[in-house]
Amino acid sequence: MSNATLLVELLTEELPPKALPRLGDTFARCILEELVARGLADANAACRPFASPRRLAVTIAGVRDTAAAREVTEKLMPVAVALEADGTPKAPLLKKLEAKGIDVAEIAKFERRMDGKAEALFYTSLVPGASLDAVLAEVVGVAVKALPIPKVMRWGAGEAQFVRPVHKLILMHGDRVVPGRVLDLDAGNVTMGHRFMSRGELAVANADAYEATLLAEGKVIPNFDERRANIDAQLTAEAAAQNASLDDYADLLDEVAALVEHPTVYVGEFEADFLAVPQECLILTMRANQKYFPLFDAQGKLLNRFLIVSNMHPQDPSNIITGNQRVVRPRLADAQFFFETDRKQPLAARIERLANVVYHNKLGSVLNRVERLEALAGKIAARLGADEAAARRAARLAKADLVTDMVGEFPELQGVMGRYYALNDGEGSVVADAIEAHYRPRFAGDALPQGNVAAAVALADKLDALVGFFGIGQVPTGDKDPFGLRRAALGVLRILMETPLPLDLSALVADAVHGFAAAQLSEPVPEALLGFMQDRLRHLLREAGHAAEEIDAVLALNPMRIDRVPARLAAVAAFRALPEAEALAAANKRIVNILKKTDVAPGEPDVTLLQEPAEKALFEQLNQISPQVTACFDNEDDAEALRVLAGLRAAVDRFFEDVMVMADEPLIRANRLALLAALARHMNRVADLSRLSV
């Protein structure tokens, strides 16, 4: 048995760039897991993944050529079936031994032990360990099938299928080739470097030399993370040399790192006249279409320079720079043309064209939706005491940029261009800003709309979508959410909670429902939608780090004022830190369970029916603190309300020690239940404290 580094490489055509990091990590992890499962590698073995545009590879240190033999114990059959009373084997056992090739003389070594309620015979044998040569091709095949590839293809005359054609396969253990065949390719020790800068085919001397060979002779940085870091360092250094910044570029950096094998950064520029176009258009053109990195000044304003990440490093890069500048110019000219053409027609004049754009065949056109948004945004603005007319105007114009040339070419700019065109048309900044902000938040962590008018339009946009699609039965299921309703729900919750806005969620949903014709919504909406929203809120709060029991306690009351949820969570957390909390939570759970078992809803407690000193004391203390608790609740001081309630702990403990709640006398029993119900109402106004009891 010998240990050495294992190398596996698939040399392919250009792999999908956005999936490359995940493909590389999954490929390496699966191969290691399969080797560990077969006893050929240790779980903590040094595993180095490689992923470049034309290869997936991995090296794993300390892989054994043969796994150690291992003992395997198997159950043969019940003793009663296998052996006579004197221990001689019966026919079923002899037949089983013959089938398994076990010598009858081994019977003396069989173990007898209980298996459930019956005694059974067990046989332990020493099984030879797996051979790397015998299983490696199978291991790689398993890893290939485990890759997250949505669509595969065939190439040539073979039957192999992969995300891209595969041209070479390396399977090496130390300095020897491990025989095997994967994807119709026989294993070897030859790879290819950079398409143009490598010296051609590269023979890998041994697995440990793989990365160094590619770096030195193939002009390839094979490790994705190191290639990404290399590009990042070059970009940062060049931006500093240009006295500029790069803004947010992480996503583009990941994509570019998956497109090049030998990165070199150069500076390009374009005519300053193009800067008259909104910079979002130019940035999107350069990033999305050309994979360039725009440069910005200290104020965040776009400069007429950009960084190119080339896959070549010639002595004279002038052709690369001028070629890229020549390519980007028509793109910027298109953006300029779209912007200048769009500005010739005001947004308001485009609204009627939205009647020809289908929103959904059961929910009408985009114009129908705009009319709903206009009414709903006005109602929400009125609830907030905001400028209702501005909210209605912003909602009226919010979707008009969908029929502009710029948004037709770059859908990502919807809302952004609406703001520019609204300002160009002379609309006020409040209306223009609301047009842009009504799509927010677009993703987790995105900024929220600023100002009540923008918030009203954003809420209207998301609530209309939620109510509409829930009303026609298009509810998200599993991981399927084609209309982005989870994102819309989280947007509503974040706007209400983080802005915060003192609005009742159920009232907002009702307002949105009223915007649809009665026949349009075939499914009941409010209950299902509010339940969906609460599930999203629970998920949002857990991601924010709140304790699950505290979330359960607060959401058990089904709060509709989402803006108050954070304060209630903080109040519950503070309450749990009090020494009285555990006992009160347990008592509250006991009260809830008792009240659940009663057939009649308790009324108000009658002081004349109180008999025991403990129940009188609890009644008196509850009456004393009730005004204070109510005032705290009305003033939204939830933490103080719970702190005051904690003072009841001694009286509650004494009540349960001294008082028989379910007394034989019906009036006494009903009165004690009424006292407990009154206590529960006070204790559970902020949260269901019984959920805090273990």
Side-chain angles (χ1 to χ4, degrees):
M1 183 187 301
S2 63
N3 293 5
T5 299
L6 177 72
L7 164 64
V8 177
E9 184 200 59
L10 295 177
L11 188 73
T12 72
E13 295 291 341
E14 274 70 10
L15 294 162
K18 292 185 178 179
L20 184 63
R22 190 177 173 196
L23 290 175
D25 290 342
T26 303
F27 186 67
R29 176 177 50 79
C30 285
I31 288 177
L32 177 59
E33 288 176 354
E34 291 295 320
L35 292 174
V36 170
R38 289 164 172 79
L40 292 166
D42 297 328
N44 61 353
C47 177
R48 187 160 172 78
F50 302 100
S52 78
R54 297 196 299 144
R55 77 197 71 241
L56 295 177
V58 60
T59 58
I60 302 171
V63 173
R64 294 177 276 277
D65 60 1
T66 305
R70 68 188 192 281
E71 286 190 343
V72 174
T73 300
E74 61 177 317
K75 175 186 171 183
L76 293 175
M77 60 182 62
V79 170
V81 177
L83 302 174
E84 301 286 359
D86 61 358
T88 58
K90 293 181 180 180
L93 178 59
L94 294 173
K95 188 175 180 180
K96 183 96 167 187
L97 296 180
E98 183 181 1
K100 289 185 167 291
I102 302 173
D103 194 318
V104 177
E106 295 289 311
I107 291 178
K109 300 179 183 178
F110 292 174
E111 180 185 0
R112 297 171 58 156
R113 66 171 185 261
M114 296 303 294
D115 180 48
K117 295 183 179 180
E119 190 179 27
L121 281 183
F122 291 85
Y123 173 63
T124 300
S125 60
L126 195 64
V127 177
S131 163
L132 181 66
D133 288 17
V135 304
L136 183 56
E138 177 190 347
V139 165
V140 177
V142 171
V144 166
K145 289 179 180 178
L147 293 176
I149 301 171
K151 192 173 182 180
V152 296
M153 62 182 294
R154 285 195 177 103
W155 60 95
E159 293 298 315
Q161 297 182 61
F162 196 56
V163 64
R164 293 291 187 271
V166 183
H167 296 303
K168 290 185 182 297
L169 168 70
I170 293 180
L171 302 177
M172 294 188 70
H173 187 233
D175 58 3
R176 71 181 185 88
V177 174
V178 178
R181 187 171 176 83
V182 179
L183 296 172
D184 292 344
L185 292 170
D186 290 320
N189 69 334
V190 175
T191 187
M192 299 287 290
H194 192 282
R195 280 195 184 276
F196 308 109
M197 299 173 63
S198 174
R199 63 174 176 80
E201 289 191 342
L202 304 173
V204 180
N206 59 72
D208 289 313
Y210 172 72
E211 185 172 9
T213 300
L214 280 176
L215 286 168
E217 300 180 42
K219 305 303 179 186
V220 171
I221 303 175
N223 181 268
F224 181 86
D225 291 337
E226 290 187 0
R227 194 166 61 253
R228 185 186 188 278
N230 180 288
I231 296 170
D232 196 16
Q234 290 189 60
L235 289 171
T236 304
E238 193 57 60
Q242 296 293 320
N243 195 26
S245 66
L246 287 159
D247 195 35
D248 183 11
Y249 64 101
D251 289 347
L252 181 57
L253 178 59
D254 287 340
E255 188 174 358
V256 169
L259 289 169
V260 298
E261 293 183 315
H262 187 93
T264 307
V265 172
Y266 302 108
V267 181
E269 64 179 37
F270 56 85
E271 290 81 353
D273 293 347
F274 286 123
L275 294 175
V277 179
Q279 69 178 40
E280 292 90 343
C281 307
L282 306 181
I283 293 167
L284 186 60
T285 295
M286 287 188 282
R287 285 180 172 168
N289 294 329
Q290 305 305 132
K291 314 304 177 191
Y292 298 152
F293 292 80
L295 292 172
F296 303 85
D297 66 15
Q299 287 71 45
K301 185 178 178 182
L302 182 67
L303 300 172
N304 65 322
R305 283 167 282 155
F306 57 92
L307 299 183
I308 307 155
V309 180
S310 174
N311 198 30
M312 298 287 291
H313 185 61
Q315 289 186 338
D316 180 8
S318 59
N319 287 337
I320 292 176
I321 296 170
T322 56
N324 279 279
Q325 291 176 165
R326 187 168 58 249
V327 167
V328 78
R329 192 171 294 113
R331 293 283 191 176
L332 301 181
D334 286 345
Q336 185 180 51
F337 173 78
F338 294 146
F339 180 60
E340 292 175 352
T341 302
D342 285 341
R343 289 194 300 171
K344 294 175 182 178
Q345 184 180 29
L347 286 177
R350 298 176 183 271
I351 294 173
E352 293 305 317
R353 290 172 56 189
L354 296 174
N356 300 320
V357 181
V358 176
Y359 175 56
H360 188 278
N361 60 357
K362 292 184 179 180
L363 298 175
S365 68
V366 175
L367 180 57
N368 297 141
R369 184 165 193 246
V370 163
E371 290 166 349
R372 294 194 300 269
L373 295 184
E374 187 177 359
L376 182 55
K379 286 183 180 180
I380 297 173
R383 290 181 182 276
L384 291 170
D387 188 336
E388 185 177 348
R392 292 178 64 90
R393 181 63 175 172
R396 181 75 178 169
L397 299 174
K399 305 298 181 182
D401 66 351
L402 296 178
V403 289
T404 62
D405 291 340
M406 185 71 83
V407 174
E409 180 71 15
F410 301 113
E412 302 92 334
L413 294 177
Q414 55 190 284
V416 172
M417 296 315 301
R419 176 181 177 277
Y420 279 108
Y421 295 147
L423 291 173
N424 181 73
D425 297 343
E427 302 286 347
S429 60
V430 171
V431 170
D433 290 345
I435 292 172
E436 187 275 330
H438 88 279
Y439 288 106
R440 296 182 186 171
R442 300 174 185 84
F443 49 84
D446 190 20
L448 299 179
Q450 298 298 305
N452 285 346
V453 169
V457 183
L459 287 171
D461 181 61
K462 293 163 182 59
L463 288 165
D464 177 84
L466 287 162
V467 167
F469 286 112
F470 265 74
I472 61 172
Q474 295 293 324
V475 180
T477 57
D479 60 351
K480 294 182 179 179
D481 185 14
F483 303 107
L485 300 185
R486 290 189 180 94
R487 183 174 66 249
L490 288 172
V492 170
L493 295 169
R494 283 193 59 205
I495 292 169
L496 294 176
M497 185 166 58
E498 296 176 27
T499 303
L501 297 178
L503 297 172
D504 185 285
L505 180 59
S506 60
L508 293 176
V509 170
D511 286 343
V513 170
H514 291 152
F516 291 86
Q520 264 187 299
L521 305 181
S522 59
E523 303 291 333
V525 173
E527 184 176 350
L529 178 54
L530 290 172
F532 175 78
M533 298 284 281
Q534 186 173 87
D535 288 343
R536 293 296 93 202
L537 179 58
R538 188 182 305 276
H539 176 76
L540 185 64
L541 295 172
R542 284 179 177 172
E543 284 196 334
H546 294 285
E549 316 83 58
E550 294 164 14
I551 295 171
D552 288 343
V554 171
L555 297 191
L557 302 188
N558 198 21
M560 291 295 108
R561 280 285 302 277
I562 308 301
D563 59 307
R564 292 191 63 175
V565 168
R568 290 188 176 187
L569 284 168
V572 170
F575 171 77
R576 291 185 78 187
L578 297 174
E580 302 90 348
E582 186 174 348
L584 279 174
N588 194 53
K589 186 174 183 178
R590 184 176 179 183
I591 292 168
V592 169
N593 290 334
I594 291 171
L595 294 175
K596 280 181 181 178
K597 297 176 182 177
T598 59
D599 297 329
V600 181
E604 292 297 324
D606 184 348
V607 65
T608 63
L609 294 175
L610 300 174
Q611 294 184 334
E612 300 292 337
E615 61 182 326
K616 292 178 181 179
L618 179 58
F619 177 82
E620 182 179 346
Q621 286 193 37
L622 187 59
N623 280 344
Q624 285 177 352
I625 69 168
S626 179
Q628 187 179 357
V629 170
T630 300
C632 290
F633 187 79
D634 291 342
N635 293 327
E636 301 186 6
D637 191 350
D638 299 320
E640 180 62 14
L642 291 179
R643 191 195 65 77
V644 172
L645 285 166
L648 292 173
R649 187 240 171 121
V652 171
D653 288 348
R654 186 181 169 200
F655 176 89
F656 280 114
E657 288 172 2
D658 297 351
V659 177
M660 174 66 71
V661 177
M662 306 306 286
D664 293 334
E665 168 58 43
L667 289 177
I668 301 300
R669 181 172 65 248
N671 198 57
R672 288 172 179 172
L673 290 172
L675 177 58
L676 291 182
L679 176 62
R681 283 195 299 273
H682 279 76
M683 291 180 68
N684 296 331
R685 291 184 73 177
V686 173
D688 181 354
L689 300 184
S690 68
R691 302 295 181 100
L692 303 177
S693 179
V694 179

